[in-house]
Amino acid sequence: MLIKAVFSLLSEVGIEQAVLHRQQSLPHRPVIPLVARIADQNTSGTPAMTQREASRLDKFRQVLAGPNTDLEELRKLSWSGIPRQVRPITWKLLSGYLPANAERRESTLQRKRQEYFGFIEQYYDSRNDEHHQDTYRQIHIDIPRTNPLIPLFQQASVQEIFERILFIWAIRHPASGYVQGINDLVTPFFVVYVFEYIEEEVENFNVSSLQEEVLQNIEADSFWCMKTVHRHMQQYEVEYLQFAFRWMNNLLMRELPLRCTIRLWDTYQAEPEGFSHFHLYVCAAFLVRWRKEILEEKDFQGLMILLQNLPTMHWGNEEVSVLLAEAYRLKFAFADAPNHYKR
């Protein structure tokens, strides 16, 4: 009842218009790329890696080079962030999409990619059928809203990829179906797997310049790894329709720049229950981070505007690291006190 009341009030006060008004009243700041300019990158136009960064990358490569990857060791390394050069393979391993055994990986990739496009062939033509029309229509409406400030996601070919991924996901998960916000969960995987094939900044990259086979690989890999996140939440009985705020529903994706989300998900992949339990502590730490600003708001409307329009646009790795450290402190303090969930 509380959740319904909150969202009803949000609708009544016209939050979107109020947010827009507040944004327009803010002083102008220079635009910082939302995806690229990550500190651990070593690409054209970015500073060379420091000795510490090079050492971390070498440690990752040593762990990944063996015939059977030590996933526990990989998780330990990943908690503090994953170098861009090895992030795609690391995410695929930590999500369970790829096996630890190196010899089995190529055959697994081929099988899963063929399976995904088998789903496309079997189901995608049914998107205009009467019993699927509403689902497809909602997906079609939501796709252009996915990261609207990033040109990459406004490309027709990218939107078509997202439509296929989300429609097949909905068909394969009839119990929950498609829910607004699931489109955001595809984004980090898609960006990371595009980075596997390019070195330049991704924001304005024309994906049509990639070979068709490469695009298909990115699409299939994004589908299966996004499905891993859903399965993880389902395992711990975290239902989409039970989420109180978009902080939970979208894993803070609409509260943080995409570059920060990718860094955050490095740690979520490394944590055994990262996308479910640890995310609760991150949300708690995120709330505490803005306690001063929250206490300065004196009415419901102002408070909700603040919480849905937090000034994180210029956040980077340092701010995310501080957030994660506080979340870990909260986890350590409350992990053995399960009654705190009931309060």
Side-chain angles (χ1 to χ4, degrees):
M1 294 297 295
L2 175 61
I3 295 171
K4 290 181 179 178
V6 168
F7 282 106
S8 176
L9 283 170
L10 287 178
S11 177
E12 290 175 8
V13 299
I15 288 296
E16 289 187 3
Q17 289 83 354
V19 167
L20 179 60
H21 176 75
R22 172 169 288 198
Q23 287 175 332
Q24 291 173 341
S25 65
L26 291 174
H28 177 71
R29 293 179 177 178
V31 175
I32 295 178
L34 301 182
V35 180
R37 306 299 185 192
I38 299 175
D40 61 11
Q41 291 180 202
N42 182 23
T43 61
S44 176
T46 61
M49 284 190 294
T50 65
Q51 184 175 353
R52 180 177 178 275
E53 291 168 344
S55 176
R56 275 183 52 77
L57 178 58
D58 185 60
K59 289 179 181 178
F60 270 91
R61 284 175 169 162
Q62 288 179 27
V63 172
L64 293 168
N68 287 284
T69 301
D70 184 337
L71 296 181
E72 284 305 311
E73 183 63 26
L74 189 61
R75 286 190 182 94
K76 291 177 183 177
L77 285 174
S78 300
W79 208 99
S80 299
I82 305 170
R84 168 183 163 169
Q85 295 90 331
V86 294
R87 184 176 276 130
I89 181 65
T90 301
W91 277 29
K92 289 173 186 176
L93 285 165
L94 293 182
S95 69
Y97 178 45
L98 286 183
N101 184 284
E103 291 185 355
R104 293 174 48 211
R105 288 176 195 164
E106 188 58 36
S107 61
T108 298
L109 279 176
Q110 291 181 5
R111 175 173 55 82
K112 298 300 285 185
R113 288 165 176 171
Q114 289 173 1
E115 185 176 358
Y116 169 72
F117 282 100
F119 293 155
I120 295 292
E121 185 175 350
Q122 181 178 358
Y123 297 117
Y124 196 59
D125 284 345
S126 70
R127 63 191 183 279
N128 292 317
D129 292 355
E130 184 176 354
H131 56 294
H132 290 154
Q133 278 184 350
D134 289 344
T135 296
Y136 180 71
R137 185 182 300 112
Q138 188 60 58
I139 291 172
H140 190 73
I141 291 172
D142 288 348
I143 293 300
R145 301 172 179 171
T146 304
N147 296 291
L149 299 180
I150 303 179
L152 171 72
F153 296 104
Q154 303 311 306
Q155 296 177 36
S157 55
V158 172
Q159 294 187 358
E160 289 168 5
I161 286 173
F162 273 55
E163 281 190 0
R164 287 193 293 269
I165 289 174
L166 293 169
F167 182 76
I168 298 303
W169 191 93
I171 295 297
R172 298 287 298 172
H173 299 83
S176 59
Y178 174 77
V179 180
Q180 286 180 293
I182 295 180
N183 53 308
D184 288 328
L185 302 184
V186 184
T187 305
F189 293 113
F190 182 80
V191 169
V192 167
Y193 298 148
V194 168
F195 271 140
E196 190 171 5
Y197 299 96
I198 69 172
E199 293 186 355
E200 59 262 48
E201 293 180 4
V202 73
E203 285 187 301
N204 298 292
F205 180 74
N206 181 8
V207 298
S208 299
S209 64
L210 294 173
Q211 295 180 358
E212 183 64 25
E213 181 182 359
V214 168
L215 277 177
Q216 290 179 349
N217 291 345
I218 293 170
E219 178 175 344
D221 294 348
S222 298
F223 169 81
W224 287 114
C225 289
M226 187 269 287
K227 180 180 172 68
T228 301
V229 175
H230 168 74
R231 185 171 66 244
H232 189 77
M233 292 181 177
Q234 194 174 50
Q235 177 184 351
Y236 294 99
E237 299 180 352
V238 180
E239 299 292 340
Y240 290 103
L241 295 180
Q242 295 173 344
F243 293 159
F245 294 98
R246 69 185 190 187
W247 289 16
M248 296 297 298
N249 195 14
N250 296 348
L251 297 172
L252 288 176
M253 280 201 59
R254 297 190 183 183
E255 276 54 57
L256 298 172
L258 185 51
R259 61 178 179 276
C260 294
T261 298
I262 290 173
R263 167 61 191 91
L264 190 68
W265 283 28
D266 286 348
T267 299
Y268 283 4
Q269 300 272 10
E271 276 282 324
E273 300 172 359
F275 288 102
S276 52
H277 290 183
F278 189 66
H279 179 63
L280 295 176
Y281 296 108
V282 171
C283 286
F286 194 62
L287 188 64
V288 171
R289 164 63 180 79
W290 303 105
R291 61 187 180 277
K292 178 179 179 292
E293 290 82 356
I294 288 171
L295 291 173
E296 289 176 352
E297 296 293 341
K298 303 302 182 182
D299 59 61
F300 176 84
Q301 182 175 352
L303 184 60
M304 294 309 299
I305 291 173
L306 171 68
L307 290 173
Q308 295 195 1
N309 191 41
L310 293 167
T312 61
M313 180 63 71
H314 294 263
W315 272 33
N317 283 354
E318 182 177 349
E319 288 81 2
V320 173
S321 295
V322 171
L323 179 68
L324 288 168
E326 175 62 14
Y328 186 79
R329 187 191 69 80
L330 292 173
K331 176 187 175 184
F332 185 79
F334 293 106
D336 295 325
N339 286 337
H340 76 280
Y341 282 117
K342 301 177 183 179
R343 295 182 178 179

